[in-house]
């Protein structure tokens, strides 16, 4: 499994602590440094079963500058959202765990991390 983190994020640190406590084998991706491509974001969205606006941190300064709250949330706008996430990775909700079964979870709670471990 892989976990996308921002080391400054308390939810990310908590998820790592829980993964370590459970003895999980995982790879860390610091997605602000190792920025995911648009294709990788599409893949993760498919694994999550979510749309790009579902994982966008709309309160971030970059989101406000881009005006994403006003963007349409439909199939025709999906590419615009994905491009924004790739160009501004800080907008990606975190942490995201890609599970071994091909799914993924936004692991903001201990319950979500445990869910990923069961997959």
């Amino acid at each position: 499994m892989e976990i996308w983190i921002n080391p400054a994020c308390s939810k990310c640190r908590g998820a790592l602590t829980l993964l370590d406590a459970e003895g999980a084998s995982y790879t860390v991706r610091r997605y602000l440094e190792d920025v995911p491509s648009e294709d990788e974001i599409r893949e993760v969205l498919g694994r999550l079963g979510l749309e790009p606006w579902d994982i966008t941190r709309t309160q971030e300064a970059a989101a406000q500058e881009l005006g994403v709250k006003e963007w349409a949330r439909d199939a025709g706008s999906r590419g615009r959202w994905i491009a924004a996430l790739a160009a501004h990775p800080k907008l990606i909700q975190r942490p995201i765990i890609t599970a071994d079964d091909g799914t993924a979870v936004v692991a903001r709670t201990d319950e979500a991390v445990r869910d990923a471990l069961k997959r």
Side-chain angles (χ1 to χ4, degrees), residues 48-62:
L48 288 166
L50 297 174
E51 293 295 338
W53 45 85
D54 296 326
I55 66 163
T56 300
R57 298 172 55 84
T58 59
Q59 299 303 316
E60 291 289 335

Side-chain angles (χ1 to χ4, degrees), residues 6 31-32 57 60 62 84-85 87-94:
N6 173 351
Y31 71 93
L32 297 179
R57 298 172 55 84
E60 291 289 335
L85 293 173
H88 306 277
K90 197 168 189 177
L91 298 181
I92 300 172
Q93 189 58 264
R94 61 194 183 244

Side-chain angles (χ1 to χ4, degrees), residues 41-42 44-46 48-60 63 66-86 90-94 96 106 108:
I41 292 169
R42 279 186 201 89
V44 164
L45 287 167
L48 288 166
L50 297 174
E51 293 295 338
W53 45 85
D54 296 326
I55 66 163
T56 300
R57 298 172 55 84
T58 59
Q59 299 303 316
E60 291 289 335
L66 293 170
V68 298
K69 283 187 178 182
E70 309 306 318
W71 291 4
R73 296 176 183 219
D74 57 27
S77 300
R78 193 170 196 267
R80 181 182 190 192
W81 284 85
I82 291 169
L85 293 173
K90 197 168 189 177
L91 298 181
I92 300 172
Q93 189 58 264
R94 61 194 183 244
I96 294 176
V106 177
R108 295 191 56 75

